[in-house]
Every structure is written in C-alpha cells, then in structure tokens.
Amino acid sequence: MMTLRQVEVIRAVMVTGTIGGAAKLLNVSAPGISRLVKYTERSLGIRFFQRQNGRYFPTPEAENIFEQINGVYKKVDDLSEIISKIGRGGLSELRIGSVPSISQVMVPRAIERVRRRYPDLGIDINILKLEEAIDYLLLGRGECVAMSYRLEHSGLDFMPLASGELYCIVPPGHELAGRKQVTAAEITRYPLIGIDPNDPYGRIMAEIFARHRLDYNITIRARFGTTVCALVKAGLGIAIIDQFTVAHGGYPGIELLKIVEPTRFDTYIAVKRGAPLSLHVEYFIEQLRAEMRAVEPSRQGREGQKARVRRK
C-alpha cells in the first residue's frame, strides 16, 4: 500500500524526469526524494524507474501504476476545484427575505459585503409583507427574513438585529423644514401621510398621539416607505418614517426631523426553528446586523460625543 506522500513523490519524479526536478517541484531536498523512491520500490517489490544519462524513465511494469496515480491526481484536482468554487460561493444560492423598510438601504449594503466575500454566490432577495414571512420560512422558500418586529410563532426563532427610531419627514420649503426636532403635537398640525395604527411603526406614533390626546388627520395612506417618501417629496404632506428606510441619504429630496417623544423600536432576523443555517446566510446576517447597528441612535450619539471630545 502506498501512502499519499509516496504517490506525490513518485508522480513528481515521473513528471520532471529527475530527482532534482522533483525536489524543486515539492520544495524538499533531493536526497530525501531519492531515499523515498528507493524505499517505496523495496517495500512494494516494484521498480518504478530506470535511469539513463541522469534522467528517470518509467519502467514498463510501472506504466499501469502511473496511469492510476494520474487518475488519483485528477480526482484531487477536481476536489480542489469544487472546494474553490464553494469558497467563492459557487454551487450555492443565498435566499433571503426582508420587509420593505430594511430592504431599501440596509439589505443592499449588507449584500455588497456578501458579494465581496463570495463573488460567485447566487443571490435571491424577496421583499415581503410581514404576513408573508411566515410561509416564506416554513415552506423553505428562504433561510431568513429581516423583520421590523417580533411575533409569537412556535415554528420560528428570532434573533436581534438592531434598534432604531422614527423620524418626521417633510419636503424642502415646508414650515418645519430646517428644524432639528419636532414634537408629536406639532406633527398633528399638518396633513399626515401613511400612518397606519396596525403597522409596527405606525403603532408607535398612534400610541403617542393617544397618550397625549392628540387628533391627527391622515390624508393619504401608503403601504411602503419609499412611496411615503415620494409623496412627501411631492409636497403632499408630512410623514413618519423609520430611520433605516432613509439611512445614508437613501431618499434624497426630503428633510429629516428628530421626534422629541421616544420612538425606539427593535428589528429582528426570523429563521425557521431547528433549521440549520448555511455559512452564507450566517455571514449575511452578521453583515446586515453590522450595517444596521452602525446607524443605531445610541451609537450615533456616542460617536458624536467622541467627536466633540476630540475637538476640545
């Protein structure tokens, strides 16, 4: 029985035709190659090479062995190629879902990081309503969904992503434009777009309005944050939007005002309970969490404080 090391050495001599050439190919000493060839021939009772003018030629008896050795190396090369493809994301597909508020800016930024790590990875992104996420995971259509809230379901697990805040958005030239913050009472003085008390984010503002006994007038309802932003930009009213939809200047042409009342919320990654996660989806979750936590209100506050300390 030949060891893999013996196979490697015999093949190196066969390919290069000399002991010195095999030594350079394997980056080892020539005497070591020579000793291993002699030992292998003695232990197997087979003469692999005959020497002529300093070169090594395969003996007729060893021709079939060399053919098998080349076959072994072909299999090793095939295995190495598959491993390389897997390392670059080939032969795999990342299937993920996200609610619209997180898919607008955060998911693309995370996917850009994933693509850099796995350039050959197939990627399938689904934009889902909250009620669609359950079937998406339980039926195995995707591995994870970025969610704007956590629900109770025996078949799902939830992992924290990041915390966020709501902002009031107004068009340029509006009476509130140019201000840094606004109160709930001030918001209700203007026509509102898109506040739905049944929506996770809308529920936050509806509770604030109810707590302060504030009446508000919803003139236009819209399902998705991008539509809400477009309506505000067109001057049709003001709105409340989550910070992830408009992060990194994701929707230019509107102004963001911080809301005085607390509007903090949490986001999550939902996965099917008990289902193993692929390496690629684990990396996506890690990168999405990093992107979202980088713009968390508490982190931004700490960074601003550090900057003020440095200026002093």
Side-chain angles (χ1 to χ4, degrees):
M1 181 66 69
M2 294 179 68
T3 66
L4 288 176
R5 181 58 176 170
Q6 287 173 320
V7 169
E8 183 180 39
V9 168
I10 296 299
R11 182 178 183 275
V13 176
M14 178 185 68
V15 169
T16 62
T18 65
I19 295 294
K24 289 181 180 179
L25 182 64
L26 300 178
N27 197 28
V28 296
S29 67
I33 294 290
S34 180
R35 285 194 298 269
L36 186 56
V37 169
K38 292 177 181 178
Y39 169 79
T40 304
E41 288 180 328
R42 286 197 307 269
S43 62
L44 297 178
I46 299 173
R47 188 164 61 110
F48 288 100
F49 302 101
Q50 56 186 7
R51 185 174 180 178
Q52 296 178 5
N53 300 322
R55 296 190 63 82
Y56 285 69
F57 297 91
T59 63
E61 299 85 1
E63 288 292 346
N64 289 334
I65 296 175
F66 290 144
E67 185 176 339
Q68 293 299 318
I69 287 176
N70 284 330
V72 169
Y73 263 79
K74 176 63 169 61
K75 293 295 184 182
V76 171
D77 289 342
D78 291 344
L79 176 61
S80 298
E81 183 178 357
I82 289 175
I83 291 174
S84 176
K85 286 182 178 179
I86 292 174
R88 293 172 56 85
L91 311 179
S92 300
E93 184 178 45
L94 174 68
R95 292 177 295 123
I96 60 169
S98 174
V99 295
S101 59
I102 300 176
S103 69
Q104 174 71 12
V105 176
M106 296 291 102
V107 168
R109 291 176 68 91
I111 288 296
E112 191 274 333
R113 292 189 181 195
V114 173
R115 175 62 78 204
R116 272 187 278 143
R117 175 87 170 254
Y118 302 107
D120 296 334
L121 179 66
I123 300 174
D124 181 69
I125 304 171
N126 281 267
I127 311 305
L128 305 171
K129 299 177 182 178
L130 291 169
E131 57 270 22
E132 296 173 332
I134 298 175
D135 283 350
Y136 180 78
L137 292 172
L138 296 185
L139 297 178
R141 295 170 183 161
E143 290 191 77
C144 73
V145 178
M147 302 276 284
S148 54
Y149 84 117
R150 176 175 184 159
L151 55 87
E152 294 300 324
H153 195 288
S154 60
L156 302 179
D157 285 326
F158 289 82
M159 298 177 285
L161 270 178
S163 298
E165 288 182 338
L166 301 180
Y167 282 85
C168 175
I169 56 174
V170 302
H174 191 272
E175 290 180 13
L176 296 175
R179 294 180 54 172
K180 292 184 178 180
Q181 61 182 22
V182 65
T183 66
E186 290 172 315
I187 291 173
T188 59
R189 297 172 188 168
Y190 303 92
L192 286 173
I193 297 172
I195 294 289
D196 184 353
N198 297 316
D199 178 82
Y201 301 145
R203 191 178 304 122
I204 295 173
M205 288 307 301
E207 290 174 354
I208 291 174
F209 293 150
R211 188 163 58 248
H212 293 279
R213 298 180 180 179
L214 297 170
D215 293 325
Y216 56 98
N217 180 27
I218 302 175
T219 57
I220 302 176
R221 294 185 184 273
R223 175 78 187 185
F224 301 128
T226 51
T227 305
V228 171
C229 290
L231 292 168
V232 170
K233 184 177 180 179
L236 297 174
I238 68 172
I240 308 300
I241 200 78
D242 69 283
Q243 71 173 95
F244 298 120
T245 294
V246 293
H248 300 291
Y251 206 100
I254 56 175
E255 295 191 24
L256 276 63
L257 286 69
K258 184 177 177 62
I259 298 172
V260 173
E261 289 79 6
T263 60
R264 195 176 184 88
F265 61 86
D266 295 315
T267 60
Y268 301 88
I269 279 286
V271 298
K272 184 177 181 180
R273 181 165 295 172
L277 298 180
S278 68
L279 179 66
H280 306 116
V281 82
E282 286 184 347
Y283 187 71
F284 164 73
I285 293 171
E286 176 186 328
Q287 299 311 310
L288 179 61
R289 183 179 290 120
E291 285 288 348
M292 294 180 69
R293 290 188 175 178
V295 296
E296 278 185 330
S298 58
R299 187 176 298 274
Q300 288 184 321
R302 290 196 298 270
E303 293 300 323
Q305 187 178 26
K306 289 179 181 178
R308 287 193 295 272
V309 171
R310 284 196 295 268
R311 284 197 294 269
K312 291 179 181 179

